[in-house]
Amino acid sequence: HPPPVATDKEEQKRLLENRPDQPQNPKVLRIAIIGAPNAGKSTLSNQLLGRKVFPVSRKVHTTRCKAWGVITHEDTQLIILDTPGLTNPLKAKRHNLDEAMLTDPWDSMKRADLVLVLVDVSDHWTRNCLSKEVLKCLSQFPHIPSVLVLNKVDILKKKFLLLEIVADLTEGIVNGKKLEVKSAFKQDSSSSAKSALQITLASPPESKVPGSPCGQEKSQAQEGSALDRSSDVGSAGTGEAQGPKQYRPEDLKDMKGWPHFQEIFMLAALRGEEVDTLKRYLLMQAKPGPWEFHSDVLTNQSPQEICDNIIREKVLEYLPLEVPYGVTQVTDIWEEGECGELLIAQSLLVPRESHKRMLIGRGGKVISRIAREAGQDLMNAFLCDVRLKLKVEVK
């Protein structure tokens, strides 16, 4: 089970400063998750961690800052860099986002050993090409191995569209080999994320590699990574050794996809389907190196940051578009109760009386729902009873 987050700010700080409890032969992998706003990066991060520490909402730009999650499994540590969605200065201005929203994803890329590019296949406007920001990011760091993750596969009714999406997003090349796409749909698929897609790489068929996430068994090969691999996935260095060419801005103009992905995964992060397959793959990609954190650390965020983010997530979820971005949060009480429960009181300050009425809702229904659901999420993060009180004021 993943460790809980400390409820006390000082305790969490001590944990973060603690010297890592290194095993004999430690391995580590820093993973940057990038993609368009709302592709499901935070949902996937939470599922990989096994505990909710990142805010998620259907509204764009729920993640406002760069936060890290830490997965410690046996001798391996995965550090997940959950980043704001890649956006441009024009959109940043429209959503009143600060400068860090533009620079944080780039900073994460500089630290990463592997990059996961997340694409929401349920969005028919954007699913057939990577955004200019994502392509720009990948082209600036072509030496970092990258993996394509197709998310929300369960929502896609016409599964055959995945063939087209894969061909477009990879420019027809994965791990340096040309794709030959065959569909092998199974009707009795119990998991909605099972795309049952066979994508063969054009090269003589060799035996499956036991180390590859797709080589564990035939059914899993089709479901999880959906790549019928004919070469060693573990040799992630092959593409790296020769290294993809350097791209100029004009080269990106006509590109829809990225021809240097080493692997493709298809999953439904919200339901947790096939997330374990991806997690096993990530653990196998870790390289020998010292851990950065003690095994009791789950995230580098403070307890207050997690609390603020989770309350803000609910406010974003239940209020009309323009309202939540103007809410200011002030924590009035943060203390331990008599029975060891965590008592939190927070004031939500809004700019207008009309916003206050919306946030409270008829008979206090909206604010009660926000407090109830945020309290549940906080219990999950801190693994203790949480009593959360919210009040709304016009600032």
Side-chain angles (χ1 to χ4, degrees):
H1 291 290
V5 180
T7 56
D8 178 65
K9 192 178 177 179
E10 290 308 311
E11 192 186 332
Q12 173 71 346
K13 199 175 162 197
R14 266 197 310 278
L15 260 180
L16 288 168
E17 288 167 357
N18 247 354
R19 186 178 294 174
D21 44 344
Q22 306 279 1
Q24 196 92 48
N25 301 302
K27 287 189 284 187
V28 70
L29 187 74
R30 292 172 205 84
I31 305 146
I33 304 182
I34 66 167
N38 227 18
K41 295 180 293 298
S42 297
T43 303
L44 177 58
S45 299
N46 288 332
Q47 289 283 6
L48 287 167
L49 286 168
R51 208 175 284 296
K52 183 171 177 177
V53 294
F54 299 121
V56 291
S57 143
R58 282 174 298 218
K59 297 228 172 65
V60 296
H61 306 306
T62 308
T63 301
R64 289 288 180 118
C65 62
K66 178 175 58 187
W68 295 357
V70 183
I71 299 166
T72 305
H73 179 78
E74 293 171 359
D75 61 353
T76 305
Q77 196 162 77
L78 304 179
I79 298 162
I80 297 173
L81 315 167
D82 185 49
T83 57
L86 282 161
T87 190
N88 58 42
L90 191 71
K91 287 179 187 163
K93 197 171 178 189
R94 189 189 309 154
H95 282 96
N96 193 21
L97 308 175
D98 50 53
E99 195 65 29
M101 293 284 281
L102 295 168
T103 57
D104 278 356
W106 294 84
D107 292 345
S108 293
M109 284 293 284
K110 284 175 194 157
R111 288 188 55 85
D113 304 313
L114 180 80
V115 57
L116 297 185
V117 177
L118 203 61
V119 175
D120 173 2
V121 295
S122 70
D123 186 338
H124 67 277
W125 295 107
T126 59
R127 66 188 174 205
N128 284 87
C129 61
L130 296 174
S131 74
K132 286 287 167 258
E133 282 82 21
V134 168
L135 276 174
K136 193 173 156 195
C137 212
L138 290 168
S139 67
Q140 295 272 330
F141 303 94
H143 57 286
I144 301 175
S146 56
V147 168
L148 176 64
V149 180
L150 303 182
N151 190 23
K152 309 187 190 179
V153 172
D154 54 325
I155 302 173
L156 196 65
K157 297 274 189 288
K158 299 172 180 171
K159 295 286 189 267
F160 65 84
L161 288 171
L162 286 166
L163 310 176
E164 195 185 295
I165 293 167
V166 165
D168 285 343
L169 296 181
T170 61
E171 303 263 310
I173 295 167
V174 173
N175 210 16
K177 297 193 175 69
K178 229 174 166 43
L179 293 178
E180 286 173 3
V181 179
K182 303 171 198 160
S183 107
F185 294 103
K186 293 182 289 190
Q187 294 307 311
D188 60 339
S189 154
S190 57
S191 153
S192 49
K194 288 177 185 169
S195 50
L197 196 63
Q198 266 187 305
I199 304 172
T200 316
L201 296 171
S203 70
E206 294 161 22
S207 61
K208 285 247 175 254
V209 182
S212 108
C214 345
Q216 284 156 6
E217 61 227 20
K218 181 64 188 165
S219 66
Q220 211 172 323
Q222 288 183 321
E223 294 153 17
S225 144
L227 264 185
D228 195 358
R229 177 61 84 236
S230 55
S231 66
D232 185 346
V233 176
S235 67
T238 50
E240 210 180 337
Q242 22 194 15
K245 66 168 191 166
Q246 292 295 319
Y247 286 88
R248 296 167 313 204
E250 53 268 31
D251 297 332
L252 302 178
K253 276 199 186 106
D254 305 320
M255 286 173 69
K256 287 170 80 172
W258 182 244
H260 305 290
F261 288 122
Q262 297 192 339
E263 191 63 90
I264 302 170
F265 287 86
M266 302 186 185
L267 46 82
L270 191 60
R271 293 165 173 242
E273 290 177 5
E274 302 306 338
V275 172
D276 273 350
T277 313
L278 174 61
K279 191 170 176 176
R280 280 198 298 275
Y281 171 79
L282 295 172
L283 288 165
M284 285 180 340
Q285 298 307 305
K287 302 279 187 289
W291 286 2
E292 283 189 41
F293 298 98
H294 191 277
S295 59
D296 285 340
V297 171
L298 187 69
T299 179
N300 68 335
Q301 302 170 88
S302 72
Q304 278 87 348
E305 281 172 326
I306 291 174
C307 177
D308 286 354
N309 282 334
I310 282 174
I311 293 169
R312 194 172 156 277
E313 165 203 308
K314 307 298 175 195
V315 173
L316 277 167
E317 202 56 32
Y318 297 123
L319 290 187
L321 196 59
E322 77 286 354
V323 180
Y325 297 101
V327 174
T328 306
Q329 294 163 264
V330 178
T331 301
D332 306 314
I333 297 171
W334 185 290
E335 61 190 31
E336 193 178 312
E338 288 171 19
C339 308
E341 75 276 32
L342 179 61
L343 306 174
I344 304 171
Q346 195 171 92
S347 300
L348 304 176
L349 311 178
V350 292
R352 298 193 191 105
E353 193 64 44
S354 59
H355 290 185
K356 179 180 174 179
R357 283 197 299 274
M358 270 189 252
L359 187 45
I360 292 171
R362 187 173 291 168
K365 271 190 181 158
V366 176
I367 196 71
S368 301
R369 186 177 182 180
I370 289 170
R372 188 174 64 250
E373 291 186 12
Q376 281 297 125
D377 282 349
L378 291 171
M379 281 189 211
N380 175 281
F382 299 135
L383 272 196
C384 70
D385 281 336
V386 175
R387 282 178 38 209
L388 173 64
K389 286 188 177 170
L390 298 176
K391 65 176 179 183
V392 187
E393 294 173 358
V394 178
K395 56 185 168 191

